[in-house]
Structures are given as C-alpha cells and as structure tokens.
Amino acid sequence: MSEGRSGGSTQRGLRQRIEDGLGAWAHLVKRFRWAITVVVLLGTAILGSFVPQMEVKMASEDFLFEDDPVREVYDAFRHDFGQDQVTIIAISPPEIFDLGFLEKLEAFHRDLEDELPYLEEVTSLVNVRSTYGRGDELVVEDLLDDMPTNAAELAAFEERVLNTPFYVKTGILSSDREMTGVRVEVAVYGDGEIEGGEEADALDLGGFEDEGSSMASTKRAFLSGTENARVIEAIHSVAARHASEDFPLLTAGGTMLTYELTKQLSVDVPRFFGGGLAVIALFLFVLFRRIAPIFLCVGVVVPATVATFGLASLFHLPFSAPAQLIPSFLLAIGVSYSVHLLTIFLADLGEGRARVASLEHALRHSGLPILMTGLTTSAGLLSFLVAPMKPIAEMGMISVIGVVVMLFYSLVFLPALMLLIPMKGRARREGTAVDRLLARFAAVSARHPGPIVASTVLLVLAAIAGSTQLYASSDPTSWFPADHPYRVAAELVNERFGGTQAIELVVDTGRDDGLKEPEMLARLESVDALVADYRDVGAKLSYSNSLVDIAKETHQALNANDPAYYAIPDDRRLLAQELLLFENSGSEDLEKVVDPQFSRARYTIRSAWTDGIYMRPFLREFEPAAAALLGDVEGYALTGMSALISRTVDAIYESILRSYGLALCLITPLMILLIGSLRSGLVSMVPNLVPIAMTLGLMGAIGIPLDMFTLLAGCIAIGLAVDDSIHFIAGFRRYLAQGLDPVRAVEATMQSTGRALLFTSIVLTSGFGVLTMSEMLNLWNVGVLTSFAIGAAFLLDVTVTPALLVLTHRRDAELD
C-alpha cells in the first residue's frame, strides 16, 4: 500500500487537530484582544529595561570559551605576567632629539599617567629604563630623569638612545629611528568579580600550576569591554589635546581593536535595523498597497526584537561580534511570519468575510507552517551551540530565544492587533505578471522534472569544485576598510615598529633560581637566533625581549659600560649577584619577565599583525624547535594573542563541521516528522542543501574566506530556507489529499503559496542585504552570501522541489 494513501493518516489527524486549535485560538483572541495587547506591551517594556544592561564582548580572547586549553593558558599567563597586548601611540615629529619635542612628549606622558583609568604603566622616552654603570655602582633610572638643557647634553642623550637596542625592541623607537612610541599597558583586571563562585578554578597548565601561577586566590574579573572603552576614550581625549602639526599621533595595537569593533557595532546595528525596516516597508506597501500591514509588521518585529535582547540580558548572554546579525535576522523572519498571515487575512476581508472568520482561516492555513518553520529554524540555530567559538554559540542561544519570541508575537500579539486595527481587505488579483511567472516555473519544473534534476546535479558538481579553494581566516584588522584610521595606524605600527602582536613563550625551569644559571639563560638566548632565522625566511617577526636583555644590560653596565660586555656572565654566582643588584635598583621591569622565585621566565616575540591562517603553521613549527633549544626544562607553554588568533582558525574549521553537520542531523528528521512523509521530507532537504554548496563554491571561487562571520551564513540560510520548503510541500500535500495529481498539485500550490514565498524570500534577502551598507568587510561578506543563499533557495524551491515532488509521487498517481 502506498505512502500517499495509507502512511499519513495519523499525521493528517494530528495536523487537523492542530489546525482546529489554531482556529479556536482566533476566537479567544477576539475575546481577550485588549488584554493580550496590554500584557504584551507591558511585558515588552519590562524586558526592554534590561537591554541597556547587556554586556558587549568584542575582545579577541572572548572568541574562545574559558575552558578552551589555549584560553586557559593565556588567562593564567595574564594573571602571572600581565597583559601581552600593548597599545602604541606612534609619534612622528620633525626631529625626535629636540628639546621642544621632548618637553611636549613629557607633558603628553604625564597627562596619560594622570588621566587613564585601569592603567598599569605608560612607557616612553620619558621613563623607559636607562641602565648604566657609574664607577662600581649600577644605575637603573628613568631615561629622562634629567631633561637635557643644552646641545651637549642633548647629543649625549641621542647617542645613548640610538645605542640601546632595548628601545627598538620594546617599541619606544621605530626601526628606522625616525619615530618614537608611547607604550600603554592596561591592567589585567577590572572592577568586577568572577561570576559563579567565590574563587576562580585553578588552571591546569601542564606543570605551571603552583601558588604563584594559579588563579585560585582571586575573584577579580578580567578587564571588561566597558572598562576597556573608558581607557581608550581617555587615550583619545588626551591625544586630541596634545596632537598638532609637529606632534602627530597615531594609535594602534592592544585593546584598540576591541574598542574600534565595538564602536563600529554601535554605528552598524541601528543602520542595519533601520535600513532593513525601510526597505521591507517599501516591499510591504508594494505587496499590500496599504499602510496598516506595514504598521502591523513593524509593531510585531520591533517589540519582539526588544524582548529578545531583554531576555538575553536577563540570561547574562553578552552582545558579541556575530550578534550584530541578530536584529536583521529577527526582522526578516518576523516580517516573513506576518506576511503569511496577513496575505490570507486581507484576501478574505476583500472577499467579504468577517474579521474573525478571516483571522481563523489565516491561522488554520498558515499557523501550523509558521510553527513548523519556527521549529526547523530553531534547530538550524541550535547547531551553533556545539561550535567551539564562544561568540557563535552565544549568538545561537540568543537567536533561538529570538525565534521563540517572534513566534509568540506573531501568533499571539499580531492576531490581537489584526482585530483591533481597522483595515480594508484586498481581493486577490488574478493573472498578474507574478502569477504568470510562477505559473511558468510550475509548468517547466512539473512537466520536465528530469532535465531540472540533471541541471541541479551539474550545479552541485560545479559548487564542489569551487569549494575546494576555500580557506579559513582569522584577521579582524582586515575587516576594516583600507583607509580606516585604525587600520592605517595598525599598518604603520606594523611597518615602522615591528607590530604589537605578541607571541609569548613561558618557560618553567622547575626549581627556584633556575634562571640565575648561565646555561639556562644561554638556552633562552638561543631562541633569539631561531627567531632571526625565521625572520630571514619571511616570518613577520620583529624583536624579542626577555630576562636575557636585563642580564646583558646589567653586565655591560657593571663593566664600565663597555659594549663588549653586552653578554651573559659565565659565572653563576656573578650572574646571580648582578641580577640581585638590578632587582634592588628600584626598577620593576623584572616582574614582567620572571616570577619572584626566578623559576619561570617570559620570553616575548613581537610580530606584525598576522592572519591566524599563517600564524598557525608557524607556531606549530616554532614550538618544537624552541623546545629543542630549551632542553631539559620542567615545562613550557606557547601563548599570547598570536596563539589565540591561531586557535580560532582551528575553531572555525571545527565550527563549520560541527554546526553544519548538526544542522543537517536536526533539520532532516524534523522535516520528515513535520511534513509527515519520508519522501517529501527528504525531497525538502535538496533545495536547502544545494544553496549551501553553491554558497561555499561561490566563496571559494571569488576568494571570500571562512571566518567567524561567513561560516554563519550557511547555517542561517539552512534555518531560513527550510521555511519556504515547508510552506510549499505543506500546500502540495494539501492539494494532493484533495485528489489532484502531482502536476496539478504543483501548479495549484504555486498559485496559492508561491506569491507569499516570493515575497518572503525578497524580505529575507533584503533583511540581510542591508548588511552591505556596512563599511566592514566581514559584514558585507555575510550580507552578500546569506542573500545569495536565500535567493538560490527560493529558485530551487520553485524549480527543483516541484520536479522532485512530481518524480517521487508520480508512481502513487499512476497506481490511483
């Protein structure tokens, strides 16, 4: 016995009961329409009050979960040694070694120290350490403790600066000695406390956990995005007062990237949502030729979006970089849900039906497909929860909340408004250009299914070929336009100062005073040669800095400042004595490169900002090479922002495999269950998977990389594209059940449902198309790719889906 005649009776019975319940709901809405309206608006206002409390998280370290091994090592490193991210304010005066400039620099430096919150240290030519010997005495003082007063003192000052490699290594002097930099290091911790317990868990760092390195003793939270914004705004405020033609300033590095991304977000999100509303309002007017439907759609989408972010704030879900897409996404699905109800409602009013009867018919016809699409869209978004990238998982959670909230507003609040707001019906016009176009699609796809399916197979093969060129990327700086002030500054600092990105090597000797052994320092020094070797073959490495530099400086100073003694002492007792002298000199620089027990050292390599796709293979090759040079040590860890950015590349690949795979595993059985047919459910997946293959192929063909944003396009498109499939196949099965053969059922479905599908696809592509208004490349890419995927899904829904339905149901029709 065929599936079409016997396999779906239970499903039809369930479907009928749900539709009857939705019909009854229309009458309840009529009775309590005012109460529903007041309660929903009041609830929206209450939830909206929580939106300003939502935390914004844009820092690069927040790309990974706190329990990610790479993130754990990085957090422990920050706890032990401080920030690795340093902001450099680059200054290019006509002449560095000029008394007037040095006085301006000192004033600028002092204002930064006085006005910056959460400040760890400001370092410039004013206070960078100057190590030299005076007789038998070791002197470690601020470089400009005594400002030069005449030409001879200024010349001596210039000679000292130019002959001290440390100043170039640390970004105080540019590599060409024509610019100077002011280093701003912010505090690791802010004012907040770690959430979820009295103490942070101790971190397992493979040999680095002890009383000095574990974080079990602190409750303080790392510097938040809001606190970081206060630091950056203070820097800008001070810089604005001091900048002049002969004191030009450019700022880059450190947490500036986080600030600029957050700042751009505050500009883009209102622009996307407002632009999307305007474009969709125009399409709504074209479709309905009425103002009331526009008001209804906006009256549903805006409050639902506010409620979504209010709930997210209550659940302590932060607003991260990918969350910028959520307002456009909610706008698109909210209008889509509303259009399906309003189209039938207004058509029935135009035919003279009563308002409640029109609402009942609209809910019976479209209510169940809307519920089904909400469920499948949520399933697609739930796939984000398994992504190893924290912002993507958080976006998935907020988006699922948004879908549920939008369903509530569409099926509860919208019906109440439809009964309250006066509006005239609009009788359906037959024989329009849209009707003729849809009829043509139906005729070609239903009557020539073989060629349609064959063409689709060729399209998939071409997409697979294109997707072989895909590559991942993790380079937030490249998201900015080439002329953006931050990117200009970042590229200048990369070129002239060697960059601000850090590769941090932490070495544990496993014993107290292990770093006072000449042999151990010699091993650490040997890494310098390794860095130079990589630099010679093209690696974007600039300079290294470690305890070795302090040991060499001190030894030279204590030997009449003779450059020939810029070396590590051979004698252990002499090395220990000289390091003790430096430690007692009053300088705090030792704290940045070694722990109090001299058992663990920090070795820093500065590099130009590098895409994680290139940093990843370098780190994998560099780590064992460095380990071989270090020899028999207790342990070591390679960390820093470079390691985090590199890890995000792996996380991108993991995310696409997990998320796309889970989305397929969740949506396919749901489609089969909701549609009530194995064949129809499997058929429905074809027009939803092929657009994903096409999108990946397009990315590979035109060189758009996989990153934290573009990998979202596929899962979002899957979640949205199934909506059209559900509506089309539900209509097809309804007409099939009424006795039409598959070809006639396709034609009838195209005329009754095709118009709504066309319009909702236009709404969805428009909702994501507004992302191309952004000057940020990552958002522009998502807008283009998601719009392309949704547009392709519609074309496949009106061509391939009908062809497959005819092919899979033709046998049943012949048996009948």
Side-chain angles (χ1 to χ4, degrees):
M1 187 175 292
S2 72
E3 178 192 22
R5 288 181 291 183
S6 63
S9 59
T10 302
Q11 286 286 340
R12 284 195 295 272
L14 177 61
R15 186 183 302 114
Q16 187 62 51
R17 289 194 296 273
I18 295 174
E19 290 178 353
D20 289 343
L22 289 167
W25 171 243
H27 295 277
L28 279 175
V29 170
K30 178 180 182 297
R31 183 177 177 184
F32 298 106
R33 58 191 182 278
W34 281 109
I36 290 172
T37 303
V38 171
V39 169
V40 171
L41 290 177
L42 181 61
T44 302
I46 293 172
L47 290 173
S49 67
F50 292 97
V51 174
Q53 302 174 26
M54 194 173 189
E55 184 180 3
V56 177
K57 285 192 173 183
M58 304 287 283
S60 298
E61 60 266 28
D62 290 324
F63 289 178
L64 301 174
F65 284 97
E66 288 81 354
D67 60 355
D68 186 290
V70 174
R71 171 74 185 273
E72 285 185 333
V73 173
Y74 180 68
D75 286 346
F77 164 81
R78 288 193 291 168
H79 173 69
D80 288 348
F81 293 105
Q83 291 280 12
D84 70 316
Q85 297 186 73
V86 177
T87 298
I88 291 185
I89 305 172
I91 312 171
S92 52
E95 173 58 54
I96 294 177
F97 302 103
D98 172 80
L99 288 176
F101 169 74
L102 293 177
E103 289 172 354
K104 290 181 180 181
L105 177 63
E106 183 177 32
F108 179 55
H109 179 109
R110 301 304 178 201
D111 282 354
L112 287 172
E113 287 185 326
D114 291 341
E115 298 181 31
L116 265 57
Y118 308 107
L119 179 65
E120 185 68 28
E121 186 176 18
V122 176
T123 308
S124 70
L125 287 173
V126 173
N127 70 333
V128 67
R129 77 169 182 258
S130 174
T131 306
Y132 62 95
R134 186 163 48 200
D136 293 333
E137 180 187 4
L138 176 68
V139 179
V140 183
E141 62 183 12
D142 291 348
L143 181 61
L144 274 180
D145 258 356
D146 297 314
M147 181 71 71
T149 58
N150 55 52
E153 291 179 356
L154 188 62
F157 172 78
E158 180 178 358
E159 182 181 4
R160 186 191 307 177
V161 170
L162 295 180
N163 290 327
T164 306
F166 175 71
Y167 300 154
V168 176
K169 282 188 170 189
T170 52
I172 300 303
L173 204 61
S174 64
S175 56
D176 57 10
R177 275 68 170 176
E178 294 180 356
M179 299 179 68
T180 185
V182 178
R183 288 167 50 98
V184 178
E185 299 175 54
V186 299
V188 174
Y189 297 104
D191 294 330
E193 293 185 352
I194 294 173
E195 185 180 342
E198 290 297 314
E199 297 180 342
D201 293 335
L203 302 181
D204 180 8
L205 301 182
F208 285 88
E209 68 276 14
D210 60 23
E211 292 182 2
S213 69
S214 99
M215 296 175 60
S217 60
T218 181
K219 297 189 300 180
R220 299 172 64 190
F222 290 117
L223 198 72
S224 69
T226 302
E227 291 164 340
N228 175 65
R230 288 177 56 193
V231 176
I232 303 303
E233 286 164 3
I235 291 175
H236 286 324
S237 175
V238 175
R241 292 202 311 270
H242 287 266
S244 64
E245 186 175 345
D246 60 350
F247 200 80
L249 304 171
L250 284 174
T251 307
T255 53
M256 279 292 299
L257 176 61
T258 301
Y259 174 80
E260 290 294 338
L261 289 173
T262 305
K263 180 181 174 183
Q264 193 65 41
L265 178 150
S266 66
V267 173
D268 281 342
V269 171
R271 181 192 299 171
F272 297 156
F273 198 69
L277 278 175
V279 171
I280 289 172
L282 176 63
F283 283 122
L284 285 169
F285 184 77
V286 170
L287 177 68
F288 295 114
R289 306 300 175 93
R290 301 283 190 278
I291 297 297
I294 300 174
F295 175 81
L296 287 171
C297 290
V298 172
V300 167
V301 170
V302 174
T305 303
V306 171
T308 295
F309 286 103
L311 284 170
S313 181
L314 275 175
F315 294 143
H316 303 291
L317 294 171
F319 197 101
S320 56
Q324 298 173 80
L325 307 178
I326 295 176
S328 296
F329 166 74
L330 294 179
L331 173 64
I333 66 168
V335 172
S336 176
Y337 294 164
S338 301
V339 164
H340 281 288
L341 288 177
L342 285 170
T343 299
I344 296 172
F345 179 76
L346 292 175
D348 285 0
L349 286 181
E351 294 173 0
R353 282 195 182 188
R355 188 175 289 262
V356 176
S358 299
L359 176 61
E360 179 182 356
H361 182 219
L363 285 170
R364 282 179 174 275
H365 185 277
S366 297
L368 179 57
I370 288 173
L371 285 171
M372 293 165 63
T373 57
L375 187 58
T376 53
T377 300
S378 297
L381 296 169
L382 282 172
S383 65
F384 291 148
L385 300 185
V386 299
M389 300 188 73
K390 189 178 181 183
I392 294 177
E394 290 169 341
M395 178 196 171
M397 294 174 69
I398 298 174
S399 299
V400 171
I401 292 172
V403 172
V404 174
V405 169
M406 197 62 71
L407 283 173
F408 174 81
Y409 276 74
S410 299
L411 296 176
V412 176
F413 189 47
L414 177 59
L417 293 180
M418 290 163 68
L419 295 178
L420 285 173
I421 296 175
M423 67 183 88
K424 295 180 180 179
R426 183 167 180 261
R428 175 178 170 80
R429 293 183 299 167
E430 303 291 343
T432 64
V434 171
D435 291 331
R436 292 193 296 272
L437 175 65
L438 294 173
R440 183 63 179 164
F441 276 132
V444 172
S445 58
R447 299 180 187 279
H448 306 283
I452 294 288
V453 173
S455 300
T456 305
V457 171
L458 293 176
L459 189 62
V460 171
L461 294 175
I464 292 173
S467 64
T468 59
Q469 303 302 311
L470 274 175
Y471 65 96
S473 173
S474 181
D475 183 11
T477 301
S478 69
W479 298 344
F480 294 95
D483 59 351
H484 191 280
Y486 173 78
R487 185 165 176 180
V488 171
E491 290 176 352
L492 180 141
V493 169
N494 282 341
E495 179 183 353
R496 307 288 290 277
F497 289 86
T500 61
Q501 195 171 12
I503 302 169
E504 301 285 357
L505 178 63
V506 182
V507 181
D508 184 4
T509 64
R511 56 192 180 278
D512 290 352
D513 294 334
L515 291 162
K516 293 181 180 179
E517 300 171 4
E519 182 187 355
M520 189 64 244
L521 280 194
R523 293 186 208 170
L524 203 58
E525 183 184 28
S526 67
V527 181
D528 289 348
L530 180 65
V531 171
D533 290 342
Y534 276 104
R535 184 169 55 241
D536 290 343
V537 295
K540 295 182 179 180
L541 308 179
S542 50
Y543 308 103
S544 59
N545 179 42
S546 68
L547 178 62
V548 171
D549 297 279
I550 292 177
K552 289 180 175 181
E553 284 180 24
T554 304
H555 190 55
Q556 176 181 333
L558 291 172
N559 286 274
N561 303 308
D562 185 349
Y565 286 87
Y566 187 74
I568 300 169
D570 294 331
D571 184 74
R572 185 188 190 285
R573 296 178 65 182
L574 178 60
L575 174 60
Q577 184 180 13
E578 290 183 351
L579 288 175
L580 179 62
L581 287 173
F582 186 93
E583 189 174 6
N584 293 333
S585 69
S587 173
E588 297 179 354
D589 285 1
L590 271 177
E591 298 175 6
K592 301 175 184 177
V593 295
V594 68
D595 71 341
Q597 292 76 36
F598 279 80
S599 64
R600 294 178 9 262
R602 169 190 184 181
Y603 183 98
T604 302
I605 307 168
R606 280 200 299 127
S607 74
W609 185 275
T610 304
D611 192 326
I613 192 65
Y614 304 114
M615 183 61 70
R616 181 178 62 153
F618 164 73
L619 292 179
R620 289 180 175 176
E621 185 177 324
F622 179 83
E623 183 172 6
L629 293 174
L630 293 172
D632 184 21
V633 294
E634 182 72 16
Y636 65 90
L638 200 61
T639 184
M641 186 52 61
S642 296
L644 260 70
I645 297 297
S646 174
R647 164 65 182 132
T648 59
V649 174
D650 290 328
I652 287 169
Y653 285 125
E654 291 175 31
S655 295
I656 194 169
L657 291 174
R658 291 186 190 180
S659 298
Y660 283 33
L662 183 59
L664 179 62
C665 292
L666 287 175
I667 292 176
T668 301
L670 270 177
M671 293 291 283
I672 294 170
L673 179 64
L674 293 174
I675 293 173
S677 167
L678 176 62
R679 283 179 299 174
S680 298
L682 293 175
V683 164
S684 70
M685 293 306 298
V686 174
N688 299 312
L689 296 179
V690 173
I692 307 307
M694 292 171 62
T695 302
L696 294 174
L698 176 67
M699 291 172 63
I702 65 177
I704 295 178
L706 277 170
D707 60 26
M708 184 170 59
F709 282 81
T710 54
L711 73 83
L712 299 173
C715 281
I716 290 175
I718 290 176
L720 294 175
V722 295
D723 295 5
D724 285 354
S725 299
I726 286 176
H727 282 285
F728 191 95
I729 294 175
F732 172 81
R733 289 177 61 79
R734 182 181 295 111
Y735 288 115
L736 206 63
Q738 293 174 6
L740 296 182
D741 65 73
V743 172
R744 298 295 182 190
V746 164
E747 293 172 344
T749 303
M750 197 72 77
Q751 291 303 312
S752 62
T753 306
R755 176 184 288 265
L757 298 187
L758 173 62
F759 184 78
T760 54
S761 295
I762 292 174
V763 166
L764 292 171
T765 53
S766 301
F768 284 96
V770 297
L771 296 178
T772 59
M773 297 166 58
S774 175
E775 62 179 13
M776 300 291 283
L777 180 62
N778 57 323
L779 296 175
W780 192 92
N781 285 340
V782 174
V784 169
L785 295 173
T786 309
S787 297
F788 170 79
I790 292 170
F794 168 76
L795 290 176
L796 289 164
D797 268 319
V798 296
T799 54
V800 179
T801 298
L804 290 173
L805 288 172
V806 169
L807 288 174
T808 55
H809 289 77
R810 179 179 288 169
R811 177 169 161 63
D812 288 348
E814 291 172 352
L815 290 174
D816 289 339

